Amino acid sequence: MNLLDKLKLLFGARAGGDPNALWLYVKCARCGAPLAVRVDLRNELSVDYDNGGYVLHKEMMDGKCFTLMHARVRFDNRRSIVEQTVEKGAFITREEYEAMTNSKIPNPNN
Ligand SMILES: [Zn+2]
């Protein structure tokens, strides 16, 4: 499996619901608390003049140790993710998030 396939898996929760909603799942590097953050693809992406496509900067704070994490995600012109990094945290899959929070997300896009 190449990196792009892994990214598609990570962010595969885009089908159905609002097509402009994207969920990012991360966990805090310090305490391991999982976090789900909704991104509005219409309003939150900026044009990336340096690299082409779009870029998203997202700050999020976990509710346990209140570490502020800063995610940076790059998208191509079709708004598919091409690169992602998060400071003070790590990306996890939706399945991992559900397992860690012991919950099912009924409709991940709302
Ligand atoms: Zn934390």
Side-chain angles (χ1 to χ4, degrees), residues 27-34 61-69 88:
K27 68 173 176 185
C28 173
R30 191 161 142 209
C31 72
M61 190 181 279
D62 85 74
K64 203 168 164 188
C65 76
F66 306 108
T67 289
L68 190 63
M69 291 169 266
K88 299 176 185 171

Side-chain angles (χ1 to χ4, degrees), residues 3 8-9 13-14 27 44 56-57 65 88-89 105:
L3 183 65
K8 280 178 186 163
L9 269 185
R14 228 199 279 181
K27 68 173 176 185
E44 295 190 58
L56 167 77
H57 293 280
C65 76
K88 299 176 185 171
I105 300 168

